[in-house]
Amino acid sequence: MKIGMLKLNRIPLSFRNYVNNITSILTKQGVEFVFFSKESDIPYDVDLYWDPFSGPRWFLRKVKRPLVVTMLGDYRFGTRLKDAYSEEINYMRKIIKRYVTKLKLRLKWTIFSKKVSAVITVSNYSKEILAKHLGINRKKIYVIYHGINHHIFNPNARKIAVNFDYFLHVSQYSPDIYPKKNIKRIVQAFIKLKSENPMHHLKLILIIPNIPKRISEDLQQNRHDIIIIPKKIPHQKLVEFYRGALALVFPSIHESFGFPILEAMASGCPVITSNLTACPEIANDSAILVDPYSVEDIKYAMLKIMMDKKLREELIERGLNRASQFSWEKSAFHHLQLFKHVVIYRGGCLS
């Protein structure tokens, strides 16, 4: 099979991780990828075209072969307006921004509805939001979960060498991403937990690459028990943090998938996550689900992990089983099955 694939020079880490894994595995299985970045570079001797970057692009309306588009996100249409965009944007601007974004995307998908043979997304939650808000035919949307690298994230990795217990949060910073990660409530819950249990030598480690110094200082409040790591941690080192943590605290207000949930589980780290958006779908019954808007709920989940050794062991076991169901090989297999289906049937439902 020969696939013409859109390639962009600057893409977010999540896209890069996804694309690199899928193309690497499928290339080893005999799939040939022909990359292009603009209309003049479009190859015409291919079986299908794939835009893995939440397109479709306007110039792709002219292609004569089936077109598959991956939508990794849902543009936060499933979250409350005030949680969807940066706190630095005033409320009226948020209303206008969401309205304009939705209008543009619905218009795009109205134009491309017959051109696109299939849309890949990463959760059933995301599928429903895309269908509801962008008007994409549900029959054209296929849920294919991401995978994780079990060679790196596994319970046999060593733990980071520290002499204290700690809860862990892992995310990354950008003005639009930061509000949905719910970090202020995580810190508030931790401070409340410490005030009620002053004898415990406990810390909170927040790994948030690129977080501005002013926000970091505001979160820490001159406390030595809140440690913020503002730089990117390689996966080989990140797994050590997961391995040593009491739990990952990841009560996001919005996620279309949620990589840290599975990375932690695969590493043998219990998970506290949100009961909203895609988090409960990915975590299944293998994590403590909390109301992300409730500081008390988050605090109580942390307390249970800290006090109940049996519960923690059960969560570790269930998490390992859950994470084992996700792999990049499995994800690549389902991509290839869909690509073949699209080539043969030029769209239509995949049974």
Side-chain angles (χ1 to χ4, degrees), residues 114-286:
K114 293 183 179 179
K115 171 60 65 177
V116 175
S117 298
V119 175
I120 297 171
T121 194
V122 289
S123 62
N124 287 296
Y125 156 77
S126 186
K127 174 179 178 175
E128 291 305 310
I129 296 300
L130 293 175
K132 177 181 177 180
H133 290 273
L134 300 186
I136 304 173
N137 188 337
R138 282 178 173 82
K139 293 182 178 180
K140 283 190 174 185
I141 306 175
Y142 299 89
V143 176
I144 302 179
Y145 289 135
H146 284 322
I148 51 172
N149 189 334
H150 291 276
H151 296 293
I152 295 176
F153 298 104
N154 65 76
N156 298 316
R158 67 181 182 180
K159 300 179 182 180
I160 191 168
V162 293
N163 60 355
F164 52 84
D165 292 331
Y166 64 92
F167 285 101
L168 177 69
H169 171 80
V170 177
S171 60
Q172 55 183 313
Y173 178 86
S174 78
D176 278 348
I177 289 175
Y178 180 72
K180 73 175 188 174
K181 295 302 181 181
N182 210 19
I183 295 167
K184 286 186 178 180
R185 289 190 182 93
I186 295 173
V187 169
Q188 291 168 0
F190 174 76
I191 292 174
K192 194 169 184 180
L193 178 68
K194 283 296 295 281
S195 68
E196 295 173 5
N197 299 271
M199 300 302 293
H200 285 274
H201 189 46
L202 187 67
K203 295 184 185 291
L204 174 64
I205 298 179
L206 306 169
I207 300 178
I208 314 173
N210 303 317
I211 187 170
K213 186 176 180 181
R214 59 178 178 81
I215 296 179
S216 180
E217 291 176 347
D218 182 56
L219 291 172
Q220 286 178 301
Q221 303 175 34
N222 294 318
R223 297 176 65 104
H224 297 295
D225 52 5
I226 298 176
I227 301 169
I228 299 180
I229 301 176
K231 60 182 180 180
K232 182 181 176 183
I233 304 293
H235 282 172
Q236 290 80 0
K237 189 68 177 178
L238 181 59
V239 67
E240 297 183 19
F241 283 92
Y242 284 130
R243 289 287 296 121
L246 287 172
L248 172 74
V249 188
F250 195 74
S252 296
I253 291 168
H254 171 272
E255 294 288 341
S256 295
F257 186 75
F259 269 116
I261 295 172
L262 292 179
E263 290 173 351
M265 287 181 175
S267 305
C269 175
V271 173
I272 298 167
T273 192
S274 166
N275 61 9
L276 298 180
T277 63
C279 294
E281 178 182 344
I282 301 306
N284 201 262
D285 64 348
S286 303

Side-chain angles (χ1 to χ4, degrees), residues 7-70:
K7 187 173 184 180
L8 303 180
N9 292 325
R10 299 182 65 181
I11 58 174
L13 179 62
S14 58
F15 281 95
R16 194 180 318 132
N17 190 29
Y18 162 63
V19 168
N20 289 348
N21 277 287
I22 298 302
T23 56
S24 175
I25 293 169
L26 292 187
T27 298
K28 293 175 183 176
Q29 296 179 7
V31 176
E32 181 182 353
F33 289 94
V34 182
F35 301 104
F36 65 94
S37 58
K38 54 184 183 293
E39 185 172 0
S40 59
D41 296 334
I42 295 178
Y44 291 98
D45 58 336
V46 297
D47 298 302
L48 69 100
Y49 296 94
W50 180 31
D51 178 354
F53 304 111
S54 295
R57 316 289 151 171
W58 183 249
F59 65 83
L60 289 176
R61 73 192 189 282
K62 297 181 179 180
V63 298
K64 304 299 182 182
R65 295 285 190 272
L67 173 62
V68 176
V69 174
T70 295

